[in-house]
Amino acid sequence: MKKLDIAKSVIMNNGGIAKTAKLNEVGIRNSEIIKMCESGELERVKHGYYQIADRMEISEEKMIATFFEEGIICMESALFYYGYSDKTPLEWTIAVPRTITRTKIKIDNFAYKIYFVQNDKLELGKTQGMFNGIKLPVYDRERTVCDCFKYRSKMDNEIFNKAINAYVADEKKNLGNLSKYAREMKVYKRVTELMEVMLNG
């Protein structure tokens, strides 16, 4: 089997994008990868990541899964996922650890907004969701609502109000978790005051 065929096979098996390290594992040297790019067979997607040239566009979801290994879908993107917002986000909203190196999250291929989160709060409320057939980490309903209170000043008023109303009406809500997360994220007073009004209204 030719090196190029091996490279293409590895890329296909990794959902259309492969890291340099994956290609190295099957015996393809960096100099050979460069040659494949120069000959127009492969394309560099981002430093250290390659795809087969002239292939179908790789979905943004796949790029998030590949490039943002530590990222978690949050805020507007999570609200849209849970049906708490009917406004399709213009950019992906992704939470990453505060300590992440900036080069790791520099992607030019699609629009996204980063939320830098303290490492000890990053995993709070993390779950998995299916986005266009790709499994991605996403914050659960309660963490997403707490984030809305935490980043209230950065949010559109209409989106915030719709989200809270939708959460109150959601049969899948878990008020115990909401209370627990709100304490940990230091938004307990704001969350409980509004929730009491909404739930008893």
Side-chain angles (χ1 to χ4, degrees):
M1 205 175 181
K2 287 189 343 206
K3 287 279 177 90
L4 178 60
D5 294 332
I6 296 168
K8 285 183 175 179
S9 168
V10 169
I11 292 168
M12 292 303 287
N13 290 336
N14 280 277
I17 305 175
K19 279 184 177 180
T20 306
K22 281 273 180 207
L23 297 168
N24 294 159
E25 275 172 25
V26 294
I28 300 169
R29 296 192 302 274
N30 289 8
S31 59
E32 292 172 317
I33 298 170
I34 291 164
K35 273 187 187 153
M36 290 174 196
C37 288
E38 285 171 351
S39 68
E41 298 289 350
L42 299 187
E43 280 176 4
R44 199 178 91 155
V45 186
K46 173 184 185 280
H47 180 69
Y49 292 87
Y50 298 89
Q51 69 179 20
I52 300 166
D54 303 323
R55 276 277 155 172
M56 267 178 12
E57 278 295 299
I58 290 165
S59 72
E60 293 180 357
E61 291 84 356
K62 175 61 193 168
M63 287 193 200
I64 291 168
T66 306
F67 300 146
F68 290 96
E69 289 174 347
E70 298 169 82
I72 302 167
I73 302 299
C74 68
M75 292 299 289
E76 284 86 354
S77 294
L79 291 174
F80 187 71
Y81 175 72
Y82 290 117
Y84 293 174
S85 169
D86 50 15
K87 206 170 174 184
T88 308
L90 298 174
E91 56 192 359
W92 286 90
T93 41
I94 304 166
V96 297
R98 219 172 247 178
T99 50
I100 200 166
T101 54
R102 297 300 190 263
T103 50
K104 252 186 163 184
I105 51 169
K106 188 173 181 341
I107 321 286
D108 302 322
N109 308 61
F110 61 96
Y112 61 91
K113 181 180 179 183
I114 292 294
Y115 284 83
F116 293 98
V117 179
Q118 285 168 254
N119 289 33
D120 62 335
K121 299 285 187 289
L122 189 70
E123 299 281 318
L124 185 70
K126 178 183 169 183
T127 183
Q128 297 286 330
M130 291 301 285
F131 292 78
N132 195 17
I134 303 280
K135 189 187 269 191
L136 294 174
V138 59
Y139 283 134
D140 65 13
R141 292 165 168 77
E142 286 65 37
R143 169 64 192 256
T144 301
V145 168
C146 286
D147 274 343
C148 287
F149 281 90
K150 185 174 176 62
Y151 301 110
R152 177 80 178 87
S153 61
K154 294 181 181 180
M155 282 188 82
D156 177 84
N157 258 341
E158 191 187 340
I159 291 175
F160 177 86
N161 293 329
K162 268 191 180 167
I164 303 306
N165 278 307
Y167 176 75
V168 168
D170 191 347
E171 289 175 7
K172 291 182 179 173
K173 66 179 174 290
N174 182 327
L175 295 174
N177 275 353
L178 183 71
S179 176
K180 179 172 157 251
Y181 297 169
R183 281 185 197 281
E184 287 198 45
M185 293 173 67
K186 300 189 169 41
V187 290
Y188 184 75
K189 190 168 183 290
R190 281 181 280 161
V191 170
T192 48
E193 279 175 0
L194 185 58
M195 281 299 159
E196 276 170 15
V197 172
M198 302 280 290
L199 291 163
N200 300 323

